[in-house]
Amino acid sequence: MDFSIKAFDTKNTIASAKTGVVAVAVFENKKLSQAAKALDGSGEISAALKSGDITGKAGTTLLLRGVQGVTAERVLLVGLGSDDGAVSEKSFVSGVSATIKAFGALGASDAIIALPMTEVKERDVNWAIRCVVQAGHEAVFRTDGQKSKKDPAPAGVKKIALAVPATGETKLALAQAVAIANGMDLTKELGNLSANICTPTHLANTARQLGKDYKFDVEVLDRKQLEALKMNSFLSVTNGSEQPPKFIIIKHMGGKAKDAPVVLVGKGITFDTGGISLKAGPGMDEMKYDMGGAASVLGTMRAIGEMNLKLNVIGVIASCENMPSGRATKPGDIVTSMNGLTIEILNTDAEGRLVLCDALTYAERFNPAVVLDVATLTGACIVALGHHKSGLFTRDDDAHNALADEIMAAGKAAGDTAWRLPIGEEYNEQLKSNFADLANIGSPGGASCTAAAFLENFTRKYTWAHLDIAGTAWKSGGAKGATGRPVPLLSNFLIGRTERTARTTRN
Ligand code: BES
Ligand code: MN
Ligand code: ZN
């Protein structure tokens, strides 16, 4: 899908625009949007509303062909619900998705979307642009890469022009929206790819390719190097696997050389069987998505590479499989992590924290401004928050509260929300072991919080936040597939940081 901006004025009118289809809004009270009025010289649009052919209810559409006085071949009327001076976010989203769906069934190849993009309640035009671009990408996204017979090629509209003022702001918003959508596509592709193909080596090769495409500095550490770094906690997870572990470092140094980087740390378990603490059979295939954190780090790097964001960002990915075998780690085994803390592995299925803790220790060397780790860490996070919001954990002090607010706001603005959950001494107490410094599982209750508290032990040298994306990285059931989350949240967070850096430099 190709997107552009097309501004209209009194000379260059929507009515005279040459295109396959123009989408304009109508409302439940039979009112027409500005753009709909501009196409209603012949009264055909008002007549369609009057006759009840379209109610204006959010998400309804009606296609008119050959409207008099309109150059476009077709006019798509899109219901946006009630019109009390502004459109609700929910109505706009459902109107956009109905528009994109209708476009897919047309003989037209290009379109103009002239919906009221600047009139959405509590949202700006940037948000509306992202909403359209994401819906467009979603519609043409294919999951047939591993099918011998490909699904039918997407039909209909391939080029969409957005009728908004062509300002520096909207042009930048469109470029960012496309970059984020491309990043999400990469995250989704990696997630959906079967685990026999999407191995740690595949993730490393993907990072190397991104390095070539966007001039990132990419480094991949193998087992020998990880042993030299004393990453025994990470290495304990890979023991049962035939696939070599990979530790990936990917750098976008778009800021000033002296600026402290943002470090994104991703959990990259390309398949989680649970190890000796083997998971139950049904639905285990979904544990191919256990590299969702890593995939979102790579997707976000792609997005900021395409934007050429003026910020230093380093992605760190700890990737391996969690398999049972004669060589696999056993419950009760004790390992010494890279930072010296010893860990009693009471459950080999709590492996995410074992790979992350060493990656978090490794991140110290970058003197980071902030470290954000992203992980499909706990099933309990789905129990707590469902599939709507990612779990967000930070320490409870002023700097970390401000960070939590910043991340929550970035997610909200991106339509990729997170919700704060607690960590603290109480949860850390649950991780006591009789034989080691820490156990890798907590006593019963609050499993997402004890997992986060475990990680906290390894992050005391910098400002840190943890995102548990177990419920948001993919969908199960008939719609099984990766979502591309939390790429929008992360990208928006980094865009916000860039703007903040630019402001402080100017002052
Ligand atoms: N990758 C899983 C978490 C997970 C499970 C994400 C289901 C999404 C859906 C993680 O490695 C895991 O197995 N966690 C355990 C922790 C437990 C052993 C303390 C869990 O959540 O059951
Ligand atoms: Mn597990
Ligand atoms: Zn896991």
Side-chain angles (χ1 to χ4, degrees):
M1 200 69 94
D2 179 60
F3 293 93
S4 60
I5 285 175
K6 200 163 166 62
F8 293 99
D9 51 36
T10 44
K11 274 200 212 117
N12 178 20
T13 64
I14 298 188
S16 63
K18 242 180 136 171
T19 185
V21 55
V22 188
V24 293
V26 297
F27 299 98
E28 270 170 320
N29 59 4
K30 303 208 186 317
K31 267 205 199 154
L32 310 186
S33 66
Q34 281 295 345
K37 274 187 208 150
L39 303 185
D40 197 33
S42 64
E44 286 167 70
I45 296 175
S46 328
L49 263 171
K50 212 167 169 193
S51 69
D53 287 354
I54 180 160
T55 59
K57 224 176 131 209
T60 55
T61 58
L62 179 71
L63 188 72
L64 306 176
R65 293 186 53 89
V67 175
Q68 260 184 48
V70 176
T71 307
E73 292 164 47
R74 305 165 188 79
V75 173
L76 183 73
L77 303 184
V78 181
L80 284 189
S82 65
D83 169 34
D84 40 14
V87 180
S88 80
E89 178 180 332
K90 202 169 162 214
S91 298
F92 188 80
V93 170
S94 88
V96 166
S97 98
T99 303
I100 299 288
K101 191 164 170 229
F103 282 0
L106 293 181
S109 65
D110 62 341
I112 294 170
I113 292 189
L115 298 177
M117 314 252 304
T118 53
E119 285 157 42
V120 184
K121 257 179 236 164
E122 288 168 34
R123 295 292 195 181
D124 57 11
V125 66
N126 295 10
W127 175 86
I129 290 172
R130 282 197 200 169
C131 176
V132 172
V133 170
Q134 263 177 42
H137 268 247
E138 182 70 37
V140 297
F141 185 79
R142 298 289 109 169
T143 52
D144 59 6
Q146 293 182 284
K147 291 184 183 174
S148 64
K149 254 206 195 137
K150 302 300 169 208
D151 296 341
V157 170
K158 306 273 181 312
K159 283 169 115 174
I160 296 179
L162 303 170
V164 292
T167 61
E169 192 197 355
T170 56
K171 285 182 197 158
L172 179 64
L174 179 61
Q176 289 177 344
V178 169
I180 292 170
N182 284 334
M184 290 173 79
D185 284 351
L186 174 63
T187 300
K188 284 160 48 169
E189 267 157 33
L190 290 170
N192 290 334
L193 201 56
S194 63
N196 58 330
I197 310 293
C198 188
T199 57
T201 305
H202 182 83
L203 291 181
N205 290 341
T206 304
R208 286 195 186 100
Q209 187 57 49
L210 287 176
K212 284 195 190 123
D213 294 346
Y214 299 102
K215 301 201 172 65
F216 298 145
D217 178 21
V218 178
E219 203 183 339
V220 178
L221 309 183
D222 58 23
R223 188 191 301 273
K224 272 221 167 74
Q225 290 161 294
L226 301 175
E227 281 166 2
L229 284 164
K230 302 200 164 82
M231 289 202 189
N232 296 317
S233 181
F234 173 30
L235 287 168
S236 74
V237 177
T238 195
N239 279 351
S241 170
E242 299 291 325
Q243 289 291 337
K246 301 285 169 189
F247 192 88
I248 305 161
I249 303 121
I250 177 165
K251 291 183 183 168
H252 168 82
M253 301 310 259
K256 297 208 176 70
K258 64 167 185 18
D259 287 348
V262 176
V263 179
L264 303 177
V265 175
K267 169 177 173 183
I269 300 296
T270 57
F271 198 84
D272 180 12
T273 65
I276 297 300
S277 312
L278 195 63
K279 285 184 182 294
M284 205 207 276
D285 66 288
E286 294 189 8
M287 282 298 113
K288 71 175 180 178
Y289 290 115
D290 212 18
M291 34 55 79
S296 73
V297 170
L298 291 173
T300 303
M301 294 305 293
R302 199 207 132 129
I304 64 166
E306 192 176 318
M307 292 177 216
N308 201 8
L309 212 60
K310 296 201 170 9
L311 191 71
N312 295 334
V313 183
I314 302 177
V316 173
I317 289 167
S319 182
C320 69
E321 288 181 337
N322 185 22
M323 300 289 283
S325 96
R327 265 195 285 270
T329 296
K330 301 166 291 298
D333 285 1
I334 294 177
V335 295
T336 305
S337 68
M338 184 179 176
N339 88 342
L341 285 174
T342 61
I343 303 165
E344 185 183 17
I345 302 172
L346 289 174
N347 189 321
T348 63
D349 197 11
E351 85 297 342
R353 62 199 80 181
L354 296 175
V355 306
L356 287 172
C357 70
D358 283 344
L360 289 166
T361 302
Y362 187 86
E364 287 173 7
R365 69 186 53 207
F366 301 120
N367 292 321
V370 54
V371 177
L372 234 165
D373 79 71
V374 193
T376 49
L377 202 64
T378 60
C381 195
I382 313 176
V383 177
L385 299 175
H387 300 283
H388 308 294
K389 292 179 192 305
S390 303
L392 170 63
F393 299 81
T394 66
R395 277 188 285 272
D396 191 12
D397 59 36
D398 289 346
H400 289 83
N401 287 329
L403 177 64
D405 289 346
E406 187 184 347
I407 294 168
M408 294 268 288
K412 194 163 181 207
D416 178 11
T417 48
W419 202 257
R420 202 169 177 197
L421 293 168
I423 45 176
E425 203 38 53
E426 320 85 291
Y427 296 101
N428 211 19
E429 293 280 321
Q430 284 182 249
L431 295 165
K432 276 202 171 138
S433 156
N434 285 355
F435 310 110
D437 299 337
L438 276 172
N440 82 324
I441 52 168
S443 54
S448 302
C449 303
T450 51
F454 178 95
L455 297 177
E456 192 274 333
N457 285 281
F458 300 85
T459 63
R460 297 197 178 148
K461 299 221 168 110
Y462 47 69
T463 311
W464 161 79
H466 157 62
L467 274 174
D468 193 330
I469 58 165
T472 51
W474 78 92
K475 288 182 180 156
S476 308
K480 194 187 287 178
T483 59
R485 292 177 70 180
V487 171
L489 179 154
L490 294 173
S491 303
N492 219 24
F493 173 78
L494 296 172
I495 290 169
R497 283 255 154 171
T498 313
E499 286 167 0
R500 210 163 73 172
T501 314
R503 264 201 307 279
T504 43
T505 323
R506 241 183 281 128
N507 291 342

